[in-house]
Amino acid sequence: MIRIQKHGYGGILLPDFDVGLDIDQPDATHIFISHAHADHVPRNRRIPVFATPPTADLMKARGFSGKITLLPFHEPVVLNEKVTVTFYPAGHILGSAMTYLQTPEGNVLYTGDYRTPPSPCTEGFDCPTDVDYFITEATFSLPVYRWKSHDVLFNMIRTFAEDSRASGDVPIFLTYNLGKAQEVMMALEPTGIPVQIHGAGYPLCEIYTRYGMNLGNFSRYNRKTVAEGALITPLSTLDTSMVTSIRKKRIAYCSGWASLESRRSQIIVDKLIPLSDHIDFFELIDLCKKLNPKKVYITHTPNADVVIHYLQQAGLIAESLDIAGNDEA
Amino acid sequence: MSTSSHFYEFARVAQELAETRRTTDKVRLCAAYLQTLTEDTDLDRAVGFLGEGAFSTTSGRRAAIGHRTIAVCAATFLEIDYELVFRPSRIATGSASETIEKLMENLDVARTKRRVDVRLSLNDVEQRFETLAALRKREDKEAFLMEVWRDLSPMEIKYFLRVLGGGSLRIGFETRSILNAIAEAFNCDAETIRYTHMITGSLGKTAVMARNRTLEKARFTLFQPIAFMLASPVESRATEDISAYIAEEKFDGMRCQLHVSHENVMLFSRDLNDISASFPEITEIYTGKNLPPTVLDGEICVFRENTIQSFQQLQKRMGVKKPSQKLLKQHPVIFVAFDVVYAEPQVASAEDNAGRIHGDGTLFEMPLGLRRQILEALCTQYQIPLVDQETIQSQEDIDRLFERALSHGNEGLILKHKDSPYEFGQRKKSWLKVKKPGGSLDTVILYATAGSGKRGGTYSDFTLGIRVSDDERYEQDFVPIGKAYGGYTDDELKKLNAAIKPLVRERFGPTLSIEPHIVVEIEFDEIQLNKRTKAGYTLRFPRFRAIRWDKSPRETDSLAEVERLFNEKADKKRIPQAAFSIP
């Protein structure tokens, strides 16, 4: 039986093969990083890791200084003549990868954060079919979460921006700086509205365009000219002068959590846009059924029991790896 | 044939109101909707559904169907496991009705059960509320509810349940805004609308009168309760002009509106329920007095041995619909009047020199001083217990009277502005309460429960434990003593939520059992005897005063301390018949 263990804050260790997935410290010889969000990048910023080229660029832009071995999608690497590791596009953010490990004990797929149907602002979603052990995140693992299509959501974003401009308001999108921000920019691109982005997000946008993503007409936040277009900035800036100094504005909060009504009173904004870069409950259950693995391991949710219940009904074996959820999803 | 407007339209507008941020935009949106309701009955229903629920406030009726019944029923309808699927979903959203809406939307099984060709009207929905209220057996209610759900879209179901619940629709659009929307829709003066609502006690009637231009016919109706005027807590006593106020002692009883006309008497509680049957000795006395049509505002207190008794004693009478002779003898009550809001037009206008009354007998607009004159005349003529009124000039007067009130066993003082009208349903600065907290205790958090509505998704209700580690009667270290929902800041709540995470022992649905570690200093109004609890006591209105990160659970107060405080208060000598008189 293969050993799959929770390790450290949010990582996973396969001790039999000396492999770590999204782990924090150099506790395995081979460490694979799924994507560049802070809760998946090692806290120890100097350890050697494997990552896709876009993930490597994004990690470096956010201060990671360890040695990164570049591993493009679909290009296998063999470790110790025993284990073959291949990255597959995860559809979560630019560069995000699922890690596929072919071992003598069976094939393991670790999803990292992922989404299908994939975010249009990524390399897409492609999943190997021969999986024995499926380690999946389940951030939105309740049947109250079923996402609307990207077409609908992108239209919502455009309509909000255009209506706001028409009424003389500056449309402000509160989003996470990496991933969601670029997705919103891509949605806005056809409107031609110039977009300003928070300083910490700006360099990441340049990486996105370098990898061929069309983010439209954007520039770094500038207080003097911000009123001329739209602004994209993290939720944490809502009460700062960056947002409060804009006199006429309409604010939208873009997140999977925006699908909950309670967010309306917790974050006072004009519009909640339930745009998520995570897989929803129904896609998750469907994928598990399709892969039909020997075992499913569930991470990143307080509600693993719900997923396990549904998988058991489908005749699958599942257990929780007890990794805490992510509130910024 | 008249056609009733679709309930779907109501739900759609409610949802749009929820998604609109600015109040002025909400009012405009709602006004436009009200204008589309051409039938008076529809206007009445829609406005009632928005602000009062399935049954009008004045009807005193309520949907006799519990939250749990609805939730279990939804799980059955959706063919999901209640414990394993519905409960965690409800905890995540913080709202049962929202959970049901989303599951109805997302699960295929709900879609197949839906009769898509059906559109219920406002009238249909009202009839279904009536049917539901008339059903007695739980199985019948559940079966009926599931039938109704087949005829509604998920969004309609959410609002159907919220209207049925009679609480807030949670769309950030409360009574005041609804009244503004009525004014805007039918081009009426907002102040007149507000007045009409106060008189009629009905949003629906107000809207219909506004459209039909019959607002001037708004009449106060005897035996139909009106919202009580409420007092605000004193924030800073120094900022008010004290000499503009008079002081009355605040009795440790329950507020009551007494409607009387000769042999007919009705008593109403603060939530406008008919409580006449619970207090037969009061209705009997007033039946015999042969009063002209009158409405008095006052307090019901247990009165024995010529002394007002504690609230704990009154509690034994509250909610008892048919008190036994024994109970009546053990805890006899009286009604002490402190205000008059309606008197026969002759009585009222005879005393009014300012010409401010409407001639319909209501005294709302009349200043307190004049109302008091009428009240005194009535109380003298009909021998009604009347609260004493004291003039005050200075802070020293207040302090002296406050101490006196406490020595009487009363709660504190109510300061009333001499020129204030009777502002029903409002809590303004015209009445101020000076109260002392019942006390404070250092307790420890035992359980945390996820809140709903605004606080959905965070743990906001905390069960607090009192220390019994040195108490031979108990095996455990702490037993629950009360549940606090507030008193903390948003920041403190965030910190608490983070701090309880590593202390979780077990999860019971929305409730977490917490390792006793976090010490909270709580403030409460009163300690009550409660034999059904482990501690034997519960606290009235416990709230956070401070989170004592600096203290360990060993340093908290013990149950013995609670017992000591309770006995000290109960044994406190009360001065006979203080602070009111029977003229």
Side-chain angles (χ1 to χ4, degrees):
Chain A
M1 186 69 189
I2 198 161
R3 286 193 292 166
I4 295 174
Q5 298 166 350
K6 173 185 174 180
H7 188 80
Y9 166 73
I12 286 161
L13 199 65
L14 304 179
D16 302 336
F17 310 111
D18 204 6
V19 166
L21 304 167
D22 290 346
I23 63 173
D24 272 334
Q25 299 296 335
D27 297 334
T29 310
H30 311 290
I31 299 172
F32 296 85
I33 300 306
S34 65
H35 66 286
H37 277 151
D39 55 332
H40 291 260
V41 168
R43 289 180 180 187
N44 183 336
R45 291 172 165 216
R46 280 188 286 276
I47 65 177
V49 299
F50 290 87
T52 63
T55 297
D57 287 346
L58 291 167
M59 283 168 70
K60 281 185 231 153
R62 301 182 110 195
F64 187 82
S65 56
K67 177 176 173 283
I68 305 178
T69 309
L70 298 183
L71 187 62
F73 291 121
H74 300 115
E75 287 183 19
V77 57
V78 180
L79 312 175
N80 304 327
E81 298 172 6
K82 211 159 65 171
V83 179
T84 307
V85 183
T86 317
F87 277 145
Y88 280 78
H92 173 64
I93 63 168
L94 183 76
S96 65
M98 300 194 286
T99 315
Y100 185 53
L101 303 102
Q102 292 160 291
T103 82
E105 307 274 341
N107 298 337
V108 179
L109 182 66
Y110 165 67
T111 63
D113 289 348
Y114 72 125
R115 193 192 200 289
T116 179
S119 159
C121 206
T122 66
E123 298 86 347
F125 176 79
D126 181 27
C127 188
T129 51
D130 188 8
V131 177
D132 298 305
Y133 303 100
F134 184 46
I135 309 168
T136 176
E137 65 119 339
T139 306
F140 291 98
S141 63
L142 290 169
V144 290
Y145 302 113
R146 189 199 276 275
W147 306 141
K148 295 186 171 77
S149 72
H150 279 112
D151 276 353
V152 169
L153 293 164
F154 276 25
N155 263 325
M156 220 185 253
I157 290 168
R158 285 191 279 269
T159 307
F160 179 80
E162 283 169 338
D163 288 355
S164 302
R165 293 299 317 169
S167 62
D169 292 298
V170 178
I172 300 176
F173 294 89
L174 302 176
T175 74
Y176 195 61
N177 257 334
L178 171 56
K180 202 70 61 66
Q182 291 76 23
E183 219 173 338
V184 172
M185 290 160 83
M186 182 176 262
L188 288 175
E189 186 273 329
T191 66
I193 297 172
V195 174
Q196 290 197 1
I197 177 157
H198 183 261
Y202 179 78
L204 309 175
C205 296
E206 291 186 315
I207 296 171
Y208 265 72
T209 51
R210 217 181 315 140
Y211 283 93
M213 299 295 160
N214 185 359
L215 303 186
N217 173 5
F218 72 91
S219 56
R220 186 190 288 270
Y221 165 74
N222 179 338
R223 181 183 285 252
K224 285 188 192 123
T225 53
V226 68
E228 292 163 17
L231 174 65
I232 297 180
T233 184
L235 175 62
S236 57
T237 62
L238 180 57
D239 296 323
T240 68
S241 71
M242 198 169 156
V243 172
T244 56
S245 67
I246 300 175
R247 213 169 50 81
K248 286 207 72 188
K249 58 182 172 270
R250 295 189 70 218
I251 305 174
Y253 170 58
C254 306
S255 164
W257 303 115
S259 66
L260 300 179
E261 279 187 356
S262 54
R263 287 299 185 276
R264 203 177 296 288
S265 45
Q266 288 160 352
I267 306 164
I268 304 297
V269 295
D270 296 287
K271 182 124 187 117
L272 297 177
I273 300 178
L275 175 67
S276 175
D277 45 19
H278 292 265
I279 191 164
D280 76 15
F281 176 79
F282 297 90
E283 295 283 353
L284 169 63
I285 300 294
D286 281 352
L287 184 63
C288 290
K289 286 185 192 169
K290 210 165 83 188
L291 292 175
N292 192 26
K294 289 184 183 142
K295 192 163 185 180
V296 180
Y297 295 86
I298 297 150
T299 71
H300 294 90
T301 174
N303 293 305
D305 289 346
V306 182
V307 183
I308 293 170
H309 167 70
Y310 273 81
L311 294 181
Q312 278 172 351
Q313 283 188 329
L316 292 168
I317 298 167
E319 76 173 56
S320 168
L321 275 180
D322 198 25
I323 292 175
N326 170 19
D327 281 341
E328 263 297 341
Chain B
M1 203 190 88
S2 69
T3 51
S4 175
S5 173
H6 285 143
F7 183 67
Y8 179 83
E9 200 48 25
F10 171 86
R12 193 191 59 74
V13 171
Q15 187 61 29
E16 207 176 325
L17 286 170
E19 291 174 14
T20 304
R21 182 175 165 199
R22 293 179 189 134
T23 310
T24 48
D25 294 342
K26 284 178 185 244
V27 167
R28 194 174 313 132
L29 185 72
C30 180
Y33 170 63
L34 297 184
Q35 286 170 345
T36 67
L37 301 168
T38 48
E39 298 289 324
D40 280 355
T41 46
D42 268 359
L43 182 60
D44 188 350
R45 282 182 199 115
V47 172
F49 287 176
L50 265 181
E52 297 178 9
F55 305 103
S56 70
T57 308
T58 50
S59 75
R61 294 170 64 198
R62 250 176 237 173
I65 184 158
H67 295 294
R68 198 186 145 89
T69 303
I70 291 172
V72 171
C73 190
T76 309
F77 184 88
L78 294 159
E79 298 172 21
I80 55 173
D81 191 289
Y82 175 77
E83 295 292 333
L84 279 172
V85 182
F86 189 88
R87 266 206 349 202
S89 298
R90 196 208 69 85
I91 294 163
T93 64
S95 154
S97 49
E98 184 188 350
T99 304
I100 294 171
E101 176 195 28
K102 291 213 154 90
L103 295 176
M104 293 279 177
E105 186 87 54
N106 292 350
L107 298 176
D108 293 333
V109 61
R111 255 169 276 155
T112 59
K113 286 184 183 178
R114 172 95 197 277
R115 286 188 281 256
V116 280
D117 47 336
V118 179
R119 280 258 161 136
L120 297 190
S121 66
L122 290 169
N123 182 29
D124 296 334
V125 167
E126 186 180 71
Q127 284 178 7
R128 278 154 182 73
F129 288 144
E130 293 287 346
T131 308
L132 208 47
L135 292 172
R136 286 285 152 263
K137 284 196 211 134
R138 201 175 69 199
E139 310 87 80
D140 294 345
K141 289 178 196 174
E142 287 179 357
F144 183 76
L145 204 51
M146 288 198 249
E147 271 309 299
V148 176
W149 286 344
R150 296 187 59 189
D151 291 338
L152 295 170
S153 66
M155 185 176 71
E156 286 173 283
I157 292 173
K158 176 173 72 181
Y159 288 108
F160 178 89
L161 292 174
R162 288 184 183 173
V163 172
L164 182 65
S168 164
L169 293 190
R170 294 183 225 156
I171 55 174
F173 201 66
E174 307 299 331
T175 307
R176 177 184 291 270
S177 299
I178 297 171
L179 292 171
N180 286 336
I182 295 171
E184 187 164 322
F186 306 116
N187 205 11
C188 299
D189 170 49
E191 195 53 34
T192 310
I193 295 288
R194 193 182 63 83
Y195 180 82
T196 308
H197 175 238
M198 292 195 305
I199 293 285
T200 60
S202 160
L203 288 168
K205 279 185 193 152
T206 304
V208 171
M209 292 168 103
R211 177 161 65 197
N212 297 335
R213 299 273 166 266
T214 53
L215 287 170
E216 71 281 359
K217 288 191 193 149
R219 286 220 182 283
F220 170 79
T221 315
L222 207 60
F223 301 112
Q224 191 171 294
I226 53 156
F228 288 68
M229 178 166 176
L230 303 170
S232 312
V234 173
E235 275 148 19
S236 163
R237 279 183 258 170
T239 60
E240 313 291 342
D241 173 17
I242 288 164
S243 61
Y245 288 79
I246 56 85
E248 293 169 1
E249 293 194 12
K250 185 176 186 323
F251 299 113
D252 208 0
M254 84 185 270
R255 195 76 180 275
C256 174
Q257 201 174 91
L258 188 148
H259 291 231
V260 55
S261 173
H262 306 288
E263 70 278 14
N264 297 319
V265 183
M266 277 179 93
L267 308 177
F268 296 99
S269 61
R270 229 188 74 170
D271 48 3
L272 310 186
N273 286 318
D274 179 2
I275 50 165
S276 313
S278 296
F279 301 103
E281 63 264 64
I282 298 176
T283 46
E284 253 166 54
I285 288 175
Y286 281 84
T287 303
K289 284 184 193 287
N290 198 29
L291 259 95
T294 308
V295 176
L296 301 175
D297 186 358
E299 193 97 355
I300 292 178
C301 303
V302 171
F303 187 65
R304 210 183 49 230
E305 291 153 16
N306 219 21
T307 309
I308 289 184
Q309 303 294 326
S310 67
F311 183 78
Q312 284 97 325
Q313 294 203 28
L314 181 64
Q315 256 200 318
K316 301 206 159 77
R317 292 288 305 273
M318 288 161 73
V320 180
K321 287 203 180 104
K322 275 191 193 146
S324 64
Q325 284 303 319
K326 189 178 158 210
L327 196 62
L328 288 174
K329 209 166 171 186
Q330 271 179 339
H331 307 289
V333 296
I334 53 158
F335 173 85
V336 182
F338 52 67
D339 214 325
V340 55
V341 289
Y342 178 90
E344 280 231 291
Q346 309 88 289
V347 182
S349 53
E351 298 293 334
D352 177 34
N353 303 319
R356 258 180 283 203
I357 60 160
H358 284 228
D360 63 356
T362 61
L363 309 176
F364 316 124
E365 311 274 290
M366 201 184 260
L368 175 66
L370 288 175
R371 293 204 306 278
R372 175 80 187 185
Q373 284 177 27
I374 295 170
L375 184 63
E376 280 176 6
L378 278 167
C379 289
T380 306
Q381 192 179 345
Y382 297 98
Q383 295 182 0
I384 298 167
L386 171 68
V387 70
D388 294 340
Q389 214 175 60
E390 307 284 345
T391 53
I392 42 176
Q393 299 297 335
S394 62
Q395 186 57 46
E396 288 71 47
D397 287 345
I398 295 178
D399 293 343
R400 178 176 50 80
L401 290 168
F402 182 71
E403 285 310 316
R404 197 186 75 178
L406 294 184
S407 75
H408 288 157
N410 290 330
E411 277 192 299
L413 298 175
I414 296 278
L415 309 182
K416 297 181 176 175
H417 199 283
K418 287 174 192 168
D419 299 328
S420 60
Y422 191 89
E423 298 157 332
F424 29 140
Q426 300 185 66
R427 195 186 288 282
K428 287 204 196 160
K429 295 280 171 198
S430 305
W431 287 10
L432 298 168
K433 54 184 164 195
V434 186
K435 246 171 94 174
K436 198 171 164 178
S440 70
L441 287 167
D442 283 340
T443 59
V444 65
I445 294 181
L446 296 182
Y447 299 95
T449 303
S452 51
K454 181 179 175 187
R455 289 189 184 135
T458 44
Y459 290 91
S460 57
D461 305 353
F462 300 93
T463 301
L464 301 156
I466 196 84
R467 194 164 52 79
V468 289
S469 49
D470 307 326
D471 203 317
E472 286 174 0
R473 295 170 292 177
Y474 296 90
E475 283 175 7
Q476 61 268 60
D477 288 342
F478 295 92
V479 291
I481 187 76
K483 199 170 181 185
Y485 310 88
Y488 39 67
T489 63
D490 287 353
D491 265 358
E492 281 175 330
L493 188 60
K494 232 183 242 174
K495 260 194 217 158
L496 264 179
N497 270 270
I500 59 176
K501 260 190 195 166
L503 299 171
V504 174
R505 283 208 282 217
E506 243 182 300
R507 179 187 288 270
F508 316 97
T511 301
L512 303 178
S513 159
I514 309 287
E515 200 72 45
H517 183 73
I518 303 169
V519 177
V520 178
E521 185 181 344
I522 50 166
E523 196 173 271
F524 54 88
D525 279 9
E526 194 156 15
I527 300 171
Q528 294 172 339
L529 210 52
N530 187 339
K531 294 216 177 81
R532 283 170 301 172
T533 61
K534 273 188 200 149
Y537 297 90
T538 44
L539 304 178
R540 199 171 167 212
F541 299 134
R543 62 254 175 197
F544 280 51
R545 181 189 263 174
I547 304 169
R548 300 299 301 265
W549 303 108
D550 57 318
K551 278 198 170 182
S552 89
R554 282 188 305 279
E555 299 172 87
T556 55
D557 284 310
S558 68
L559 184 60
E561 173 66 8
V562 176
E563 285 167 331
R564 192 189 65 74
L565 288 170
F566 178 81
N567 291 328
E568 189 181 274
K569 173 104 192 270
D571 297 345
K572 189 169 171 180
K573 204 122 186 66
R574 286 164 182 265
I575 296 175
Q577 203 190 322
F580 75 92
S581 42
I582 304 167

